[in-house]
Amino acid sequence: MSTPTSLLIRHARIILPNGELMNGDVLTQGSTIVAVETEIANAQPTIEIDAQGLTLLPGVIDPQVHFREPGLEHKEDLFTASCACAKGGVTSFLEMPNTRPLTTTQAALDDKLQRAASKCLVNYGFFIGATAENLPDLLSAQPTPGIKIFMGSMHGQLLVDQEELLERIFAQGERLIAVHAEDQARINQRRQEFAGIEDPAIHSQIQDNQAALLATQLALKLSKKYQRRLHILHMSTAEEAELLRQDKPSWVTAEVTPQHLLLNTSAYASIGTLAQMNPPLRSPHDNEVLWQALKDGVIDFIATDHAPHTLEEKAQTYPNTPSGMPGVETSLPLMLTAAQEGKCTVAQVVNWMSKAVAVAYGIPDKGEITPGYDADLVLVDLHNYRPVNREELLSKCGWSPFEGWNLTGWPVTTIVGGEIAYAHGQVNTQVRGKALNFR
């Protein structure tokens, strides 16, 4: 029987769990971190990495992605997406149920888990999607981080927009409920008001701040009524942030995407439908309020909502264009660049992109560089800047809304379960992640 691989990372700037920096070494054995010290002597590792000048972070856990498999593999698949994850320093992801078939049954969940086991370079978990009819599956399906409810900007079975149906889901069971909070009735009404307009910027007016606020208010009301664990996905508005600032029970969490922090409605003028997503981009004022809410702990962590479409699909005329943009390759450099610009600290980025996600979803032994924790790690270069380049992206869709942005903090080496999944521009396609557990 072969001896497990051991890695010795030397001379790194290590972000410790308390947020402090330490210059030192990290030793892994198999899939586990076994030592974090200023200097590790007498180790005989399988592989030694000289991390001089680099910063070592826990691997990113991206808690909201759409990787399109099964059924929509022309946009992305679990292999291409997990390669993009490894390149972006994302060592674990939680994926959404709007694939074909929908992930609304144990059988569909099992199928995704089997696919991921055979082709994912990083660790994985899959949400179960709520419909009007599948309450038994929502109570029993496992393993899953939680139930995903589309309260709006969805069609077909996954749209659950009636309060009595929502209440039935909130009232039974204890599993986390994650909501896409947009009010479908208001969206329908405003689609009629603005019909015939082909400028994609109208998207932010159709699915306006009020549509988001109404749905978040309803989800919060039901969560409080049943003391039900609630997570608000991709919060996008100042109004929602202020609502939570005034009234956020201990069992409620929220996330924000880099694009809702860093892009706003001005992006339509430069990148057109590539800026179209749900919930839409908002105003510079919303950017500011969301940043403050994140720094104050009103918003708990960051997710990408990686939702790729082909350039051909995006080239159609609004409103025939699909909503969504890729994000797993750029999220960490975007946030680390913001840290270098003084918008936040590197330690805050680590908390928002690793530790706080693991805590919120009850993922054991992830999100910290601590002996006994999983060896999911990323070495980043905070000294050199380079632009987002379409030709270098590994996501199958082949574009980014941040193309041309000059960023730092690009991953140099990504380690998944003690194995090097990405190093110096090359993906190791032999590495396989594992299914995540949820307490």
Side-chain angles (χ1 to χ4, degrees), residues 232-248:
I232 299 156
L233 298 159
H234 44 41
M235 185 171 278
S236 64
T237 70
E239 290 87 343
E240 292 168 285
E242 289 308 315
L243 171 68
L244 280 201
R245 190 179 288 280
Q246 301 305 321
D247 183 14
K248 187 187 178 197

Side-chain angles (χ1 to χ4, degrees), residues 323-339:
S323 295
M325 52 180 72
V328 293
E329 281 171 90
T330 52
S331 59
L332 184 57
L334 283 165
M335 294 307 299
L336 291 173
T337 301

Side-chain angles (χ1 to χ4, degrees), residues 2-317:
S2 62
T3 309
T5 301
S6 64
L7 291 177
L8 179 57
I9 301 165
R10 285 204 184 280
H11 313 127
R13 295 171 78 243
I14 303 161
I15 304 289
L16 298 173
N18 62 5
E20 291 181 4
L21 262 177
M22 180 183 97
N23 291 311
D25 302 349
V26 172
L27 180 67
T28 72
Q29 186 73 33
S31 61
T32 305
I33 298 166
V34 294
V36 181
E37 298 170 19
T38 51
E39 186 177 4
I40 296 172
N42 305 320
Q44 294 184 310
T46 318
I47 299 168
E48 189 168 314
I49 298 171
D50 183 0
Q52 190 78 46
L54 302 178
T55 303
L56 186 67
L57 316 176
V60 171
I61 306 170
D62 191 335
Q64 196 202 165
V65 300
H66 301 262
F67 283 170
R68 307 304 192 197
E69 182 177 352
L72 298 162
E73 288 92 341
H74 69 284
K75 302 176 195 275
E76 189 80 278
D77 60 60
L78 288 166
F79 175 72
T80 59
S82 67
C83 288
C85 282
K87 182 169 179 280
V90 175
T91 54
S92 300
F93 65 79
L94 304 181
E95 206 259 354
M96 291 297 161
N98 52 327
T99 44
R100 296 181 185 168
L102 305 173
T103 319
T104 55
T105 64
Q106 183 69 54
L109 179 61
D110 289 342
D111 175 64
K112 273 192 176 176
L113 287 162
Q114 286 167 3
R115 289 168 181 267
S118 72
K119 60 176 69 174
C120 272
L121 278 66
V122 302
N123 306 306
Y124 46 87
F126 298 100
F127 277 87
I128 186 97
T131 71
E133 279 88 38
N134 74 333
L135 189 56
D137 291 282
L138 300 184
L139 294 169
S140 62
Q142 58 179 325
T144 182
I147 298 163
K148 168 71 178 283
I149 303 181
F150 288 92
M151 298 173 73
S153 68
M154 176 53 68
H155 50 267
Q157 284 180 285
L158 284 182
L159 177 63
V160 185
D161 60 343
Q162 302 301 311
E163 185 169 348
E164 61 271 23
L165 294 175
L166 290 163
E167 180 145 14
R168 199 182 305 161
I169 298 167
F170 273 86
Q172 294 190 54
E174 296 181 345
R175 179 165 281 168
L176 177 148
I177 294 173
V179 292
H180 179 125
E182 290 189 275
D183 185 271
Q184 190 62 39
R186 182 171 177 86
I187 293 171
N188 291 343
Q189 170 206 326
R190 291 177 71 79
R191 273 187 187 145
Q192 292 177 333
E193 286 176 35
F194 296 104
I197 298 175
E198 295 183 348
D199 179 357
I202 203 69
H203 188 66
S204 292
Q205 291 186 53
I206 293 170
Q207 294 177 213
D208 66 347
N209 289 39
Q210 186 66 15
L213 179 63
L214 288 168
T216 296
Q217 285 172 327
L218 175 56
L220 194 59
K221 181 180 92 169
L222 293 171
S223 171
K224 287 164 68 178
K225 181 173 180 179
Y226 296 102
Q227 297 208 356
R228 183 65 180 268
R229 175 77 177 89
L230 171 67
H231 178 65
I232 299 156
L233 298 159
H234 44 41
M235 185 171 278
S236 64
T237 70
E239 290 87 343
E240 292 168 285
E242 289 308 315
L243 171 68
L244 280 201
R245 190 179 288 280
Q246 301 305 321
D247 183 14
K248 187 187 178 197
S250 60
W251 59 85
V252 174
T253 52
E255 72 187 30
V256 66
T257 69
Q259 51 269 35
H260 285 117
L261 294 172
L262 299 168
L263 295 174
N264 51 57
T265 49
S266 67
Y268 291 113
S270 55
I271 61 171
T273 55
L274 300 187
Q276 180 188 332
M277 67 172 295
N278 298 329
L281 299 179
R282 309 295 184 187
S283 72
H285 172 69
D286 292 292
N287 294 149
E288 289 172 26
V289 175
L290 291 168
W291 262 114
Q292 195 59 51
L294 181 62
K295 289 193 278 192
D296 291 344
V298 175
I299 296 173
D300 299 87
F301 51 81
I302 287 173
T304 64
D305 191 21
H306 177 99
H309 302 282
T310 66
L311 284 164
E312 290 74 19
E313 290 166 332
K314 282 287 194 178
Q316 297 173 89
T317 304

Side-chain angles (χ1 to χ4, degrees), residues 87 386-393 398 402-405 410:
K87 182 169 179 280
R386 69 169 201 271
V388 179
N389 187 337
R390 183 177 291 194
E391 288 72 33
E392 294 173 3
L393 296 172
F402 299 102
E403 187 169 3
W405 285 41
W410 290 98

